[in-house]
Amino acid sequence: MISYEQALSKLLSLVEYIDVEEVNLEEAHHRVLAVDAISSRDQPPFDTSAMDGYAVKKIDKVPHKNLSVIGKVTAGNSFARSISKGEAVRIFTGAPMPKGSNSVLIQEDTIPLESGITICEKFEKKDFVRKKGCDYKAGEILIQKGKILSSFDIALLASMNLPLPKVKRQPRISIISTGDELVFPGTVPGPNQIVASNTFGLKALMKKWGATCHILPIARDNKLSLEKALEIAVPADLVITVGGASVGDHDYVSEVFRNIKVEYSFYKVAMRPGKPILAGKNKGTIFVGLPGNPVSALVCAHLFLKPLIGKMLGTRELINIEKKAFLQNDLPENGKRKHFMRALLKDGYLEVCKNQDSSLLSVLQKANSLAIREPNEPPAKKGDLISYLELD
Ligand code: AMP
Ligand code: MG
């Protein structure tokens, strides 16, 4: 059996280039930027007033000085003349500074006169001028490729006048549940049946990580049914099966993958949960067989599919990063396989859940982290530093 690290690196090496598309800004939220966003203009494009008040020459900002007001300028317009000493132009926020002016006297610091203003005894010394290019300058890389676009990125792209950002195409993923015992939610389960859950959790996760997913009809525990499901699963960048991946008499995934010419990358990984995981590739499609137990399937998705989708999208933001926290409870010696234990991180302390059975969705639902135990690691005590990954 190979280690988790070896399996992950083999899986990531299967990734091919995913193409680039242009999307409207309104559709760009959470998409991955495919090329650096470079500004072609200065922002603001001209010196602009930051306040409502009077544009003046800075040397005229003297207590009790009278200034004659020679006109006004509003946002979106300009003032035709240049101003001279002793003159002021009424100005509003966002309006370009008139030629000859270099400071704004805020209106609260002035007293109106018949043909002008007088400056109050006390006034704000600041200029209240936003200089050309003070936000950003033409030629600057403002957002690097590989960034998952946030709402603030979208606003920045809009201000740069980039209405059609280039983003990575969303990977297309097909998910197939396998099992005679499964029905979809909303169906009344027959005797001995349970409701398929993994599939829906998987779809939600992968949508969040930037892929588009289709849940296909449930494949039953026979080769023909699974082959048919796999036929409609392609074309796709990634096909995921859930369940049927162990070595039971009714586990057909590995055999059927082989029948449809999936070239194996690995089968079985020395980890808990999720030992019976397999992956391979046929033409441009990556195939991953996840274990059926709900916790195993969803934890393996975090450990394998999140970075896989990240690599497809060309972003580093989906790489799982190990962090450290203090243990809240004692742990026994670990077994031979690397163990990813469901845990709850609270106030810097990591409480490892008591029951680690891989069928317990209710435990996973309360967890927010995976405590990491290396193979054969000695017992750990409350207060020890332990590595963990965040679940999201
Ligand atoms: P398997 O890997 O097919 O042996 O399945 C292991 C366990 O996971 C069995 O108890 C299955 O009933 C359960 N299981 C398999 N697929 C799903 C699914 N999509 N949703 C919920 N439980 C499942
Ligand atoms: Mg099964």
Side-chain angles (χ1 to χ4, degrees):
M1 258 189 287
I2 61 171
S3 69
Y4 163 65
E5 290 76 11
Q6 288 168 320
L8 179 61
S9 111
K10 275 174 175 280
L11 181 66
L12 296 181
S13 73
L14 301 178
V15 173
E16 282 173 35
Y17 174 81
I18 286 234
D19 28 272
V20 169
E21 61 188 14
E22 286 183 344
V23 290
N24 283 321
L25 273 178
E26 287 103 308
E27 269 95 56
H29 196 205
H30 293 148
R31 299 293 299 270
V32 176
L33 194 64
V35 290
D36 292 341
I38 301 173
S39 60
S40 59
R41 64 203 307 263
D42 289 348
Q43 176 61 24
F46 40 80
D47 290 359
T48 168
S49 174
M51 297 292 262
D52 293 338
Y54 296 87
V56 296
K57 286 190 180 294
K58 196 175 171 68
I59 46 163
D60 280 336
K61 277 182 147 183
V62 176
H64 306 298
K65 181 160 186 178
N66 291 347
L67 301 173
S68 55
V69 177
I70 58 167
K72 79 170 176 182
V73 57
T74 53
N77 295 297
S78 57
F79 188 70
R81 275 183 47 201
S82 183
I83 75 165
S84 309
K85 208 163 172 289
E87 290 180 335
V89 169
R90 182 84 173 105
I91 196 164
F92 298 90
T93 309
M97 293 293 289
K99 275 190 220 95
S101 69
N102 57 3
S103 192
V104 172
L105 195 58
I106 62 172
Q107 69 191 36
E108 295 86 337
D109 291 345
T110 62
I111 299 158
L113 300 174
E114 216 154 86
S115 64
I117 49 168
T118 187
I119 302 176
C120 296
E121 162 82 33
K122 285 204 164 114
F123 61 88
E124 290 274 0
K125 303 280 179 302
K126 247 183 86 176
D127 288 324
F128 300 108
V129 176
R130 296 187 178 127
K131 299 296 276 182
K132 176 177 171 3
C134 70
D135 194 357
Y136 54 81
K137 298 206 164 36
E140 265 185 61
I141 297 177
L142 293 182
I143 312 174
Q144 288 190 328
K145 70 175 178 183
K147 173 111 197 320
I148 300 176
L149 294 172
S150 68
S151 47
F152 301 145
D153 292 326
I154 305 282
L156 190 56
L157 289 168
S159 91
M160 292 161 78
N161 203 7
L162 293 175
L164 291 171
K166 287 190 169 63
V167 296
K168 284 290 179 119
R169 172 175 66 72
Q170 295 183 292
R172 285 186 282 266
I173 301 180
S174 299
I175 311 178
I176 303 169
S177 308
T178 71
D180 286 344
E181 75 281 28
L182 301 175
V183 295
F184 274 140
T187 318
V188 180
N192 316 315
Q193 287 193 306
I194 61 161
V195 182
S197 55
N198 306 344
T199 358
F200 295 87
L202 288 170
K203 179 168 175 171
L205 282 175
M206 288 185 286
K207 190 172 166 208
K208 182 167 149 192
W209 298 329
T212 53
C213 289
H214 296 285
I215 294 177
L216 300 183
I218 296 166
R220 297 306 167 190
D221 283 326
N222 62 74
K223 285 184 233 170
L224 190 64
S225 176
L226 187 54
E227 274 168 9
K228 277 200 170 148
L230 285 166
E231 250 170 51
I232 55 170
V234 281
D237 299 296
L238 174 63
V239 173
I240 298 164
T241 61
V242 185
S246 323
V247 286
D249 289 347
H250 300 280
D251 292 329
Y252 295 114
V253 170
S254 97
E255 190 181 337
V256 170
F257 273 10
R258 210 168 282 125
N259 290 350
I260 62 163
K261 309 263 180 313
V262 171
E263 201 175 309
Y264 272 108
S265 175
F266 61 85
Y267 182 19
K268 290 197 185 148
V269 178
M271 62 187 281
R272 284 169 71 196
K275 179 172 114 184
I277 179 171
L278 63 158
K281 193 170 180 184
N282 177 1
K283 299 187 184 124
T285 304
I286 297 173
F287 289 76
V288 174
L290 292 178
N293 270 311
V295 174
S296 311
L298 294 166
V299 166
C300 283
H302 260 277
L303 296 174
F304 289 100
L305 304 184
K306 185 179 172 193
L308 178 67
I309 293 169
K311 174 127 192 237
M312 287 176 169
L313 286 168
T315 179
R316 300 184 62 78
E317 290 181 49
L318 297 180
I319 294 173
N320 289 311
I321 294 173
E322 275 188 38
K323 298 181 178 171
K324 298 259 187 205
F326 295 109
L327 254 183
Q328 176 70 44
N329 41 1
D330 295 350
L331 292 177
E333 182 184 359
N334 190 32
K336 281 195 287 227
R337 289 185 270 152
K338 183 161 182 156
H339 198 175
F340 294 93
M341 307 180 86
R342 276 65 74 204
L344 185 69
L345 181 75
K346 215 174 143 196
D347 305 328
Y349 278 83
L350 198 67
E351 187 183 344
V352 176
C353 305
K354 294 251 155 10
N355 198 335
Q356 293 287 325
D357 186 290
S358 59
S359 69
L360 304 178
L361 262 184
S362 60
V363 174
L364 180 66
Q365 185 264 344
K366 288 186 191 72
N368 59 13
S369 317
L370 292 172
I372 304 172
R373 299 281 280 148
E374 295 301 332
N376 304 313
E377 204 176 305
K381 286 243 160 300
K382 178 176 175 165
D384 286 354
L385 267 183
I386 184 167
S387 299
Y388 72 96
L389 300 175
E390 267 170 22
L391 285 174
D392 54 4

